[in-house]
Amino acid sequence: MLSSSVLFDLDGTLTDPKPGITGCIQYALSELGYRPPNADDLHWCIGPPLKDSFSQLLNTLDSTVIEQAISLYRHRFATIGLFENSLYPEIPEVLKTIRFAGYKTFVATSKPDIYATQIIKYFGLSLLFDGIYGSELDGTRSIKGDLIHHILLTEKLLPSTVVMVGDRSHDIIGAKHHQIASIGVTYGYGTEEELKSHGADSIAHSPSDIPRLIIRNSK
């Protein structure tokens, strides 16, 4: 069956959120009394759920400590970090091309949807998406597979008609879990090796590659 809907990851796929995310992680760690890593050493935190990142950074499974770190992160993110962000080149044009070709487009991000909606609006992209889906603030649907399941049910989409576009392994893993096609992008924060090793069906090295690969996946 032909693909008719495209799910886009947000961080590392549509926007480059490095300054905001790394700055907020550094702030949270400092407030907890830790010496934070340099921003360039926090690339691996861009994409996965915050709970997982802080668990590794703090070397703990203590949910109270992890939630405290997340709360501090969000204290800065909600007012400052949210907008320390930039669109990757050609993203608006890419989205327009895909929609003009007849596809529905959705945001599928582990980021809380309250923030994802603000970011998409901030960059003037709201009219280029049929829906924006993220996690809840309590962590519900922060796992990409759970989020994709929710989107498929809510939008009544058949897995065989959907393509997931993302830059990290969890995007590809979530897609595989639901037997949907996936495109891994290498201009974000995941490597080609990471994406291929988890089964990405195609690789996009720049945003302009995405429409062609989506159409190829539709054949």
Side-chain angles (χ1 to χ4, degrees), residues 9 46-49 110 142 144-145 168-175 194:
D9 174 46
I46 300 174
S110 294
S142 62
K144 193 58 65 91
R168 298 304 305 271
S169 61
H170 62 280
D171 297 308
I172 309 305
I173 292 167
E194 173 187 336

Side-chain angles (χ1 to χ4, degrees), residues 5-18 21 43-50 85-88 91-92 94-95 98 104-113 115-117 119-120 123 125 128-129 131-135 141-145 147-148 151 162-175 180-191 194-195 204 207 210 214:
S5 300
V6 186
L7 310 183
F8 281 94
D9 174 46
L10 179 57
D11 295 341
T13 302
L14 296 174
T15 71
D16 182 356
K18 177 185 171 182
I21 289 178
H43 283 184
W44 61 273
C45 298
I46 300 174
L50 273 179
N85 201 350
S86 59
L87 274 183
Y88 284 113
I91 288 298
V94 165
L95 292 170
I98 292 167
K104 287 188 172 183
T105 51
F106 301 91
V107 173
T109 175
S110 294
K111 186 184 294 301
D113 59 17
Y115 298 143
T117 301
I119 291 168
I120 292 298
F123 286 116
L125 301 179
L128 297 178
F129 288 101
I132 300 169
Y133 289 89
S135 64
R141 294 192 294 277
S142 62
I143 303 300
K144 193 58 65 91
L147 180 67
I148 291 173
I151 297 172
V162 179
V163 179
M164 175 76 215
V165 182
D167 71 313
R168 298 304 305 271
S169 61
H170 62 280
D171 297 308
I172 309 305
I173 292 167
I180 71 175
S182 60
I183 297 172
V185 305
T186 60
Y187 57 81
Y189 289 90
T191 64
E194 173 187 336
L195 296 162
I210 297 172
I214 286 172

Side-chain angles (χ1 to χ4, degrees), residues 36-204:
N38 293 326
D40 288 343
D41 294 325
L42 291 171
H43 283 184
W44 61 273
C45 298
I46 300 174
L50 273 179
K51 183 178 178 181
D52 296 347
S53 297
F54 276 121
S55 179
Q56 290 187 57
L57 286 164
L58 298 168
N59 192 28
T60 184
L61 296 175
D62 186 329
S63 59
T64 302
V65 174
I66 293 170
E67 286 304 319
Q68 188 179 5
I70 292 174
S71 179
L72 287 165
Y73 174 99
R74 287 179 176 160
H75 174 72
R76 184 183 186 278
F77 189 82
T79 54
I80 301 172
L82 192 69
F83 306 113
E84 294 175 323
N85 201 350
S86 59
L87 274 183
Y88 284 113
E90 303 176 23
I91 288 298
E93 292 78 12
V94 165
L95 292 170
K96 288 173 185 175
T97 297
I98 292 167
R99 290 176 65 82
F100 186 74
Y103 296 87
K104 287 188 172 183
T105 51
F106 301 91
V107 173
T109 175
S110 294
K111 186 184 294 301
D113 59 17
I114 188 172
Y115 298 143
T117 301
Q118 285 180 263
I119 291 168
I120 292 298
K121 183 179 179 180
Y122 175 72
F123 286 116
L125 301 179
S126 300
L127 294 178
L128 297 178
F129 288 101
D130 294 281
I132 300 169
Y133 289 89
S135 64
E136 300 294 335
L137 287 170
D138 66 2
T140 302
R141 294 192 294 277
S142 62
I143 303 300
K144 193 58 65 91
D146 296 343
L147 180 67
I148 291 173
H149 178 69
H150 176 67
I151 297 172
L152 294 176
L153 287 179
T154 304
E155 297 290 341
K156 298 180 174 60
L157 304 177
L158 291 174
S160 59
T161 69
V162 179
V163 179
M164 175 76 215
V165 182
D167 71 313
R168 298 304 305 271
S169 61
H170 62 280
D171 297 308
I172 309 305
I173 292 167
K176 284 285 181 186
H177 185 72
H178 294 285
Q179 291 82 52
I180 71 175
S182 60
I183 297 172
V185 305
T186 60
Y187 57 81
Y189 289 90
T191 64
E192 184 170 356
E193 180 184 10
E194 173 187 336
L195 296 162
K196 283 185 172 178
S197 67
H198 286 91
D201 296 298
S202 306
I203 298 293

